[in-house]
Amino acid sequence: MAESYDPRHTAVLLVDPYNDFISEGGKLWPRLEHVAQDVGLLDHLRMVIASARAAGVRVMFVPHRRWQEGDYDTWGHPNPTQRGIQERHTFARGSWGGQFHPDFQPQPGDVVAHEHWGQSGFANTDLDLQLKQHGITHVVVVGVLANTCVESTGRFAMELGYHVTLVRDATAAFEAEMMHAAHELNGPTFAHAIVVAGDLVTAFKEARSGS
């Protein structure tokens, strides 16, 4: 892999690692499970996060708004995803489903950005501020969903001038066609690199040994 990552200027953006998404028993897990298992989502997320921390790459959590009573009730134009959250109470604040998966808990030195209401982790949050204040120029976007929040966050990052990496097997979507669109059709229009977790881990190890 040609890409290299300076740990001082690289962050892994972990998008929406909620129990409702990626834990058995989560409200959306049944829709995600077959793709997640096909790509080895959880194991690859564990690999990426562990290797990032070992290399000194900062980990930033990019969480979706956790539903609470009244959300979207008076909105003029909630989108279909927000309507679904309103109906299902997805990621409800104070619930098990609205907690991060036990394997992906913030550690000292990690940053938890403000919650995003839509699909981009940058829109109406402090994510850009946090990245700039920590000297980050390169972002690696992982988590879920590949064709919504991961893609939107990556696109926005590109527009703001960041180098963007997507990781094919450290994300998932509800259908294989959505994964294809995210990585074969849409990703190449904004991402600077589209890799697999094993190559990224190797790059992080090389960055660590060279630092």
Side-chain angles (χ1 to χ4, degrees), residues 1-5:
M1 186 177 67
E3 300 296 328
S4 60
Y5 300 89

Side-chain angles (χ1 to χ4, degrees), residues 100-211:
F100 294 145
H101 185 287
D103 291 348
F104 307 110
Q105 295 292 315
Q107 302 296 319
D110 293 352
V111 172
V112 181
H114 293 166
E115 297 173 2
H116 51 274
W117 285 87
Q119 295 180 353
S120 170
F122 287 94
N124 306 304
T125 77
D126 64 339
L127 181 57
D128 184 47
L129 172 69
Q130 292 280 9
L131 290 167
K132 285 183 166 63
Q133 289 291 348
H134 288 93
I136 303 302
T137 59
H138 288 53
V139 296
V140 178
V141 192
V142 299
V144 288
L145 294 167
N147 61 312
T148 58
C149 292
V150 170
E151 180 173 326
S152 295
T153 300
R155 282 186 180 276
F156 210 131
M158 176 274 293
E159 297 285 1
L160 291 170
Y162 295 98
H163 179 287
V164 177
T165 297
L166 302 178
V167 188
R168 295 174 183 273
D169 50 2
T171 186
F174 294 149
E175 301 293 342
E177 291 82 358
M178 295 173 179
M179 292 285 278
H180 175 80
H183 300 126
E184 306 303 328
L185 304 180
N186 298 338
T189 69
F190 66 89
H192 303 87
I194 303 177
V195 303
V196 294
D199 288 340
L200 184 68
V201 168
T202 297
F204 282 172
K205 287 180 179 177
E206 291 173 352
R208 180 185 181 188
S209 62
S211 61

Side-chain angles (χ1 to χ4, degrees), residues 27-48:
K27 291 177 180 177
L28 295 175
W29 176 245
R31 297 186 62 191
L32 193 70
E33 181 178 10
H34 63 291
V35 173
Q37 291 185 342
D38 283 348
V39 301
L41 171 67
L42 292 176
D43 284 342
H44 290 136
L45 283 176
R46 293 183 187 104
M47 285 171 53
V48 169

